[in-house]
Amino acid sequence: MYLEHLSLTDFRSYAQVDLKLGPGVTVLVGSNGIGKTNLMEAIGYLATLSSHRVSTDAPLLRFGAERAMIRAKLVRGEQSTVLELEINAGRANRGRINRSNPVRARDILGICQTVLFAPEDLVLVKGDPSNRRRFLDELLVSLVPRHAATRSDYDRVLKQRNALLKSSRAGKFTAGHEATLDVWDQHMARAGAELLHARLELVERLRPHLNSAYAQLTDGSKEAGAVYRSTIQGVLDDDGGPAEYRTEPSPSVDDLRLLSVDELTERYIQAFAASRKKELERGISLVGPHRDELELTLGQAPAKGYASHGETWSMCLSLRLASYYVMLDDARTGGTAPILILDDVFAELDVQRRRKLAAIVAGAEQVLVTAAVDADIPEELAGRRVTVVPGGIDGEG
Ligand SMILES: Nc1ncnc2c1ncn2[C@@H]1O[C@H](COP(=O)(O)OP(=O)(O)OP(=O)(O)O)[C@@H](O)[C@H]1O
Ligand SMILES: [Mg+2]
């Protein structure tokens, strides 16, 4: 798929901007702080309903504005779709598809598919486990949009369950509380099992692509791996470190992968029972996909804490490339390629990896690349050049 047109109103630094795009490579060049990332962030937001830079919507609204609009015309095969997203300061965001009646923002998920590479990706390796869970869940939702509801169901139950555990910590835990906790356990086990089942399958699909992308980007001397660690296997410490305690011999992740959603639900119920005492003491939910980890490895060692700076970068790029390949392979999209966005990544790479990455992405249906200086863009990415100037795009509007 490709974006043919992007228009922003009161988004970040833009009062109004219009950008015409087409298939193939487009390179956006402009000085630091001019608004290149703001454009890429808007496209990414349309795809995931979240920003790769901030965790709340407020910074996306232009200073003083009450709402921002992102409009895009998306072409997929013979079909074109107009997507609109209204980001509101104090109330729910809304979407519109082909100028029909407004829908919940969530209903536009899965229509615009992107893979965004950015300097912030370093946290995928170096950051805490929440970054890797988010990586998995965003990809999951792009592939299977109904999992946005799975996620929000899970988050809602988790919040309620945590509130109850917190109150029990104050020493006022009655039989009534216990019964309510049993009910939350059931809900959380079900939603958690659906999420876990989907993540485990996704990791299986990512793994071969991760390793081959890493080999393509480097000289291939190390194997890049990813192993999912579930809290069903034992509670992890706050950094996603090794299991703190186990109730019985823990199942391997390969065993978990063979279980159905019903069977995983049952495992969660058991794990909640085994950790209840500890959860009541700590006043927080210790078991569930919100505490799981995706462990990344290079050769024998974990990537986090061991990989060099260059290796860390290659791993991050490989994770994004692997997402791209998984999306390409996906039956639901029927081989439609997601839009590749490379925000400022070439400046971070040495010449060798620049050229390798460029050669890999050059053939994608649409590639949007930003750079502060032209010289950072490898020759392999010869394409249309767009100059970003204060408040807009040179020669368009
Ligand atoms: N909510 C906002 N309202 C108004 N201006 C904003 C808002 N958020 C960010 N900006 C401005 O947008 C500019 C940053 O734009 P952006 O990050 O897109 O730059 P860039 O071209 O990608 O720069 P670099 O090359 O340094 O990455 C900053 O000058 C910042 O002050
Ligand atoms: Mg930028």
Side-chain angles (χ1 to χ4, degrees):
M1 67 177 69
Y2 65 90
L3 270 188
E4 195 174 74
H5 188 235
L6 176 74
S7 153
L8 305 178
T9 307
D10 288 335
F11 184 90
R12 288 280 196 186
S13 54
Y14 294 104
Q16 175 66 41
V17 66
D18 284 272
L19 176 60
K20 286 196 204 86
L21 294 161
V25 179
T26 302
V27 180
L28 295 103
V29 187
S31 52
N32 293 133
I34 206 85
K36 304 178 297 295
T37 300
N38 294 345
L39 294 167
M40 301 300 109
E41 185 180 35
I43 303 172
Y45 194 94
L46 205 55
T48 61
L49 298 181
S50 70
S51 154
H52 69 287
R53 294 197 284 192
V54 288
S55 55
T56 61
D57 286 348
L60 306 179
L61 306 178
R62 196 163 70 98
F63 291 137
E66 285 295 304
R67 62 166 209 179
M69 285 290 281
I70 306 174
R71 293 189 185 84
K73 188 171 177 195
L74 197 68
V75 181
R76 185 174 157 172
E78 301 288 291
Q79 198 188 351
S80 74
T81 308
V82 177
L83 273 187
E84 291 168 272
L85 186 67
E86 185 182 293
I87 306 171
N88 290 306
R91 59 192 174 89
N93 298 342
R94 292 192 306 178
R96 283 212 307 166
I97 303 165
N98 289 329
R99 307 188 198 286
S100 59
N101 293 331
V103 292
R104 286 176 310 183
R106 194 163 102 187
D107 295 334
I108 70 163
L109 283 167
I111 298 178
C112 176
Q113 290 189 309
T114 61
V115 176
L116 194 151
F117 298 68
E120 286 79 3
D121 286 345
L122 280 180
V123 298
L124 291 176
V125 171
K126 294 162 88 96
D128 63 41
S130 64
N131 295 289
R132 291 174 287 282
R133 292 192 292 264
R134 183 183 148 167
F135 164 78
L136 287 179
D137 289 347
E138 266 181 10
L139 179 56
L140 198 60
V141 168
S142 291
L143 294 167
V144 189
R146 75 174 165 82
H147 282 311
T150 315
R151 274 274 358 206
S152 66
D153 287 350
Y154 183 78
D155 291 344
R156 199 177 50 243
V157 189
L158 174 64
K159 226 165 137 186
Q160 286 163 325
R161 194 174 182 274
N162 277 344
L164 190 63
L165 288 170
K166 203 168 161 193
S167 76
S168 87
R169 208 179 156 207
K172 303 185 193 97
F173 201 66
T174 63
H177 286 128
E178 185 109 37
T180 313
L181 192 53
D182 288 341
V183 175
W184 290 140
D185 280 7
Q186 297 286 338
H187 287 307
M188 196 155 105
R190 183 76 206 175
E194 275 186 44
L195 195 56
L196 177 62
H197 192 264
R199 281 188 189 168
L200 289 171
E201 196 211 318
L202 180 61
V203 172
E204 247 355 78
R205 289 163 72 187
L206 276 168
R207 280 156 54 136
H209 293 302
L210 176 67
N211 191 38
S212 65
Y214 192 84
Q216 272 182 290
L217 281 173
T218 61
D219 60 7
S221 62
K222 281 186 186 168
E223 294 270 318
V227 184
Y228 193 86
R229 303 263 174 237
S230 164
T231 35
I232 287 186
Q233 298 168 287
V235 175
L236 305 178
D237 68 25
D238 290 342
D239 298 325
E244 212 177 88
Y245 76 96
R246 294 181 198 286
T247 48
E248 55 186 87
S250 82
S252 82
V253 81
D254 289 329
D255 295 337
L256 289 180
R257 209 162 43 75
L258 300 175
L259 300 181
S260 66
V261 173
D262 286 342
E263 287 165 326
L264 288 173
T265 305
E266 200 42 50
R267 294 295 181 103
Y268 271 127
I269 300 280
Q270 290 163 10
F272 293 154
S275 56
R276 178 164 290 189
K277 188 165 165 281
K278 198 172 187 87
E279 290 192 321
L280 288 170
E281 276 164 25
R282 300 265 307 262
I284 192 162
S285 299
L286 295 170
V287 179
H290 67 291
R291 303 272 290 196
D292 291 354
E293 167 66 304
L294 178 69
E295 192 181 288
L296 302 170
T297 54
L298 273 181
Q300 302 296 311
K304 186 176 178 176
Y306 290 84
S308 74
H309 185 65
E311 287 173 336
T312 301
W313 253 113
S314 297
M315 187 67 163
C316 297
L317 296 171
S318 303
L319 282 166
R320 294 296 179 196
L321 286 172
S323 325
Y324 172 68
Y325 291 125
V326 168
M327 284 185 179
L328 265 187
D329 277 355
D330 193 56
R332 194 185 69 90
T333 62
T336 305
I339 300 162
L340 285 182
I341 302 174
L342 288 86
D343 184 32
D344 231 3
V345 293
F346 289 105
E348 310 277 343
L349 306 176
D350 56 37
V351 178
Q352 197 74 347
R353 271 178 315 162
R354 271 185 195 181
R355 301 194 62 170
K356 284 182 169 162
L357 178 62
I360 298 172
V361 302
E365 186 170 356
Q366 184 172 49
V367 190
L368 308 174
V369 185
T370 74
V373 285
D374 238 326
D376 284 344
I377 305 294
E379 282 168 23
E380 285 82 354
L381 287 180
R384 192 169 153 250
R385 288 280 192 278
V386 171
T387 309
V388 185
V389 295
I393 307 298
D394 198 18
E396 288 185 37

